[in-house]
Amino acid sequence: FWLLTLFSLNRRKMNLKSERRGIHVDQSELLCKKGCGYYGNPAWQGFCSKCWREEYHKARQKQIQEDWELAERLQREEEEAYASSQSTQGAQSLTFSKFEEKKTNEKTRKVTTVKKFFTASSRAGAKKAEIQESKSPSPSINRQASIETDRVYKEFIEFLKTYHKSGQDIYKQCKLFLDTMNHKRDLSIEEQSECAQDFYQNVAEKLQTRWKMPPEKVEKAMDQIEKYIMTRQYKYVFCPETTDDEKKDLAVQKRIRALHWVTPQMLCVPVNEEIPEVSDMVVKAITDIIEMDSKRVPRDKLACITKCSKHIFNAIKITKNEPASADDFLPTLIYIVLKGNPPRLQSNIQYITRFCNPSRLMTGEDGYYFTNLCCAVAFIEKLDAQSLNLSQEDFDRFMTGQTSPKKQESDSWSPDVCLGVKQMYKNLDLLSQLNERQERIVSEAKKLEKDLIDWTDGVAKEVQDIVEKYPLEIKPKNQALAAIDSENVENDKLPPPLQPQVYAG
């Protein structure tokens, strides 16, 4: 009784805490919604890889059946209209029998095609046909390999030597798969992903049934197979131009930049970055999540996510002096993603979802951490004021950049706080002040521009009014005045000018 009471109190306390925080994902929500016990994924609509493929095939067969029924109905209507247009019953009967025979043959052909498409035997037949098509060397596979590709190839060959005959069979299967993928470049990325998943499943089953390998050895072999084939296929299937992955990357990146003001306190992150060890763990976690983009193999990208998650758990453990819980991990992971803003985040998630060994995503710590990362990204995309315990007005002002959350004053810093953190907040305050000053300058500049335009228009109007009131009149030029003696014709009879005389005294 006391245990049940304590459990109910703890559960009620956790529910109250999650309501206050606004960030809570029940662990059952991370599992496949079909109840198979494996981890689900938002990219698979909440199903695990196995259940998603089953649902995908069911939906596909249902669509094929609906299209088939529609075609038969249209054929039947056409048949009735054609039969009614015939003049005699004999002609109608002959036409109907021919049409019925043609429809039966077409129906038999369609049934055979559909059955072959969804049966294992058809895959074997398709692979045989692909073998015939791939006898000629593929230029993409025989191209000059990069240094990394050469290294991975040598490691793969050395690994297969330890498997003897089964290693030769594995190499042939991988070579066939690469040739097949080279001929399927025109397919959609979903269809190429389906081919890769079928390849993983067929090889794993073959290693278990034909070569009687234990599960540990099969998993090790599948890791090497994935590394080899995805190193070769990376440039063709990562963020292809036929998808909108790049558009989603830019949208998520823009969203994270707009949320730069979110603080750990808003997310209720139980991490104290003032502790040097915790600060180092946070930096390492951010480095790992950013480093994910530099890897080419899905398993290596998953390893970066796992390392990042372990650093987060260590940071929480050091801060709280107790093991971290799942409710503490998710908001901290969200904070790390917001702070790091990993490049091409959606492309990396889609790449892992499409071409990683499905068994690794469905179980184990890698699958758990990857599912949490998908939840964190989905939460960031739908982040609102209620999730951060803010009013809608404050949330809108923070998102538009009108203001930012109040920073901690320098006088209240603890003497043990890292100098870099203090300087960072000082720089943020300075940038905020500069931003306000810039906005004032722009506002005043626009006002001055308007005043100058108004003044110019006013002066021009006054000048125009004066010109209209006092029009300019141009008078003819006056004649020059003649010299005084110019018309005196008798000027020769005039006495000479008086000259000064000097008399002796």
Side-chain angles (χ1 to χ4, degrees):
F1 173 80
W2 288 108
L3 289 175
L4 291 174
T5 304
L6 181 61
F7 177 78
S8 62
L9 290 175
N10 289 336
R11 187 174 183 84
R12 186 179 304 171
K13 182 178 180 182
M14 291 177 61
N15 291 336
L16 291 175
K17 186 177 180 181
S18 63
E19 291 176 2
R20 181 183 66 83
R21 292 163 58 176
I23 304 176
H24 176 73
V25 176
D26 195 291
Q27 296 303 296
S28 61
E29 298 177 9
L30 301 179
L31 300 177
C32 176
K33 64 181 183 181
K34 200 172 182 179
C36 63
Y38 295 117
Y39 291 120
N41 193 301
W44 296 324
Q45 300 181 5
F47 293 101
C48 67
S49 175
K50 181 179 179 181
C51 295
W52 165 246
R53 295 182 66 194
E54 293 176 355
E55 294 295 326
Y56 176 77
H57 285 306
K58 287 181 181 178
R60 195 170 182 178
Q61 287 198 26
K62 182 179 179 181
Q63 185 64 38
I64 293 174
Q65 183 66 26
E66 291 177 354
D67 294 342
W68 197 352
E69 292 175 356
L70 177 62
E72 286 185 338
R73 182 170 61 82
L74 294 176
Q75 288 178 359
R76 191 162 49 251
E77 293 175 357
E78 182 181 357
E79 169 194 338
E80 293 174 357
Y82 182 78
S84 62
S85 63
Q86 301 300 317
S87 58
T88 60
Q89 185 67 27
Q92 292 178 359
S93 175
L94 180 60
T95 303
F96 179 81
S97 61
K98 289 183 178 180
F99 186 86
E100 190 68 22
E101 181 181 358
K102 181 178 180 181
K103 187 181 72 172
T104 304
N105 294 335
E106 183 69 17
K107 183 175 180 181
T108 305
R109 186 182 65 81
K110 288 184 178 180
V111 171
T112 306
T113 303
V114 173
K115 286 184 177 180
K116 286 183 178 180
F117 186 80
F118 288 104
T119 55
S121 61
S122 69
R123 293 176 181 172
K127 289 183 177 179
K128 288 180 180 179
E130 289 164 359
I131 292 175
Q132 299 296 329
E133 295 177 358
S134 62
K135 284 185 178 180
S136 58
S138 173
S140 63
I141 297 178
N142 295 334
R143 70 186 186 279
Q144 184 65 27
S146 63
I147 297 176
E148 183 178 0
T149 305
D150 285 339
R151 179 180 58 80
V152 172
Y153 174 76
K154 292 177 182 178
E155 291 177 357
F156 186 60
I157 295 300
E158 292 297 326
F159 171 79
L160 293 181
K161 289 180 180 179
T162 61
Y163 280 67
H164 305 294
K165 292 184 178 181
S166 60
Q168 297 178 1
D169 189 23
I170 292 174
Y171 179 77
K172 291 179 180 179
Q173 294 294 324
C174 292
K175 184 70 165 55
L176 175 60
F177 173 76
L178 292 174
D179 290 338
T180 302
M181 291 296 290
N182 180 61
H183 288 86
K184 293 185 177 182
R185 294 277 182 252
D186 296 334
L187 295 180
S188 66
I189 194 64
E190 287 76 15
E191 292 174 322
Q192 295 185 50
S193 172
E194 193 74 14
C195 293
Q197 299 298 326
D198 287 341
F199 172 72
Y200 288 142
Q201 182 178 358
N202 294 336
V203 173
E205 291 177 354
K206 195 171 185 179
L207 293 177
Q208 291 176 351
T209 56
R210 180 177 178 180
W211 300 105
K212 308 298 182 182
M213 289 187 184
E216 298 80 9
K217 199 171 182 180
V218 171
E219 182 178 357
K220 188 176 180 181
M222 293 305 299
D223 289 341
Q224 293 295 326
I225 292 171
E226 177 190 319
K227 182 177 181 180
Y228 172 65
I229 64 174
M230 294 316 302
T231 301
R232 291 291 190 93
Q233 295 295 311
Y234 176 79
K235 61 180 293 185
Y236 303 109
V237 297
F238 181 83
C239 192
E241 297 180 354
T242 56
T243 64
D244 59 348
D245 292 350
E246 185 176 0
K247 183 179 179 181
K248 292 180 180 178
D249 289 335
L250 296 176
V252 172
Q253 195 172 57
K254 183 178 179 181
R255 176 70 172 174
I256 293 176
R257 287 176 179 173
L259 294 169
H260 68 278
W261 48 268
V262 176
T263 63
Q265 292 75 22
M266 294 178 181
L267 296 170
C268 294
V269 175
V271 169
N272 185 7
E273 295 186 65
E274 297 179 2
I275 303 175
E277 293 83 356
V278 175
S279 179
D280 292 341
M281 290 296 175
V282 171
V283 172
K284 290 179 180 179
I286 295 175
T287 303
D288 289 332
I289 197 69
I290 292 176
E291 188 182 1
M292 173 180 62
D293 186 60
S294 64
K295 305 299 181 181
R296 303 178 68 180
V297 183
R299 177 173 172 267
D300 293 341
K301 292 181 181 291
L302 278 179
C304 291
I305 299 174
T306 301
K307 288 191 296 183
C308 169
S309 302
K310 290 183 177 180
H311 288 315
I312 291 175
F313 274 106
N314 290 334
I316 298 174
K317 182 178 180 181
I318 295 173
T319 302
K320 299 180 65 175
N321 292 323
E322 61 182 16
S325 64
D327 289 337
D328 295 330
F329 170 68
L330 183 58
T332 310
L333 178 60
I334 294 171
Y335 172 68
I336 293 297
V337 173
L338 289 175
K339 196 169 183 179
N341 198 358
R344 299 192 293 185
L345 183 57
Q346 281 288 3
S347 291
N348 282 286
I349 290 177
Q350 292 294 334
Y351 176 68
I352 294 172
T353 302
R354 292 165 180 159
F355 296 101
C356 185
N357 185 2
S359 62
R360 189 170 293 278
L361 296 182
M362 293 162 59
T363 57
E365 61 178 5
D366 289 341
Y368 173 76
Y369 294 138
F370 179 71
T371 303
N372 275 274
L373 178 62
C374 295
C375 292
V377 175
F379 178 85
I380 291 172
E381 293 175 342
K382 300 178 181 179
L383 192 65
D384 55 9
Q386 184 179 3
S387 303
L388 300 175
N389 302 312
L390 296 174
S391 64
Q392 189 62 42
E393 181 181 358
D394 290 341
F395 181 81
D396 294 337
R397 287 192 294 115
F398 293 157
M399 289 295 292
T400 56
Q402 297 179 2
T403 184
S404 59
K406 186 177 180 181
K407 302 293 188 302
Q408 189 174 3
E409 299 296 334
S410 58
D411 297 337
S412 61
W413 287 108
S414 172
D416 298 331
V417 175
C418 176
L419 295 177
V421 175
K422 293 182 180 180
Q423 188 63 39
M424 180 186 67
Y425 280 107
K426 289 181 180 179
N427 293 339
L428 290 175
D429 292 335
L430 180 60
L431 289 174
S432 179
Q433 295 174 9
L434 292 175
N435 185 35
E436 293 176 359
R437 290 178 60 184
Q438 183 183 9
E439 290 178 353
R440 289 198 301 269
I441 292 173
V442 171
S443 177
E444 294 295 333
K446 291 182 178 179
K447 183 179 178 182
L448 178 60
E449 181 183 10
K450 184 177 182 301
D451 293 342
L452 289 174
I453 293 174
D454 294 341
W455 178 79
T456 304
D457 294 341
V459 172
K461 187 176 183 303
E462 291 180 3
V463 172
Q464 185 65 26
D465 293 341
I466 293 173
V467 170
E468 292 177 356
K469 185 176 182 180
Y470 305 102
L472 180 63
E473 294 181 2
I474 301 176
K475 296 181 178 180
K477 185 178 180 181
N478 296 329
Q479 295 181 356
L481 296 176
I484 296 176
D485 300 331
S486 62
E487 297 179 355
N488 190 356
V489 296
E490 300 177 353
N491 54 2
D492 295 337
K493 300 179 178 181
L494 290 175
L498 294 178
Q499 298 292 330
Q501 302 292 327
V502 180
Y503 297 94

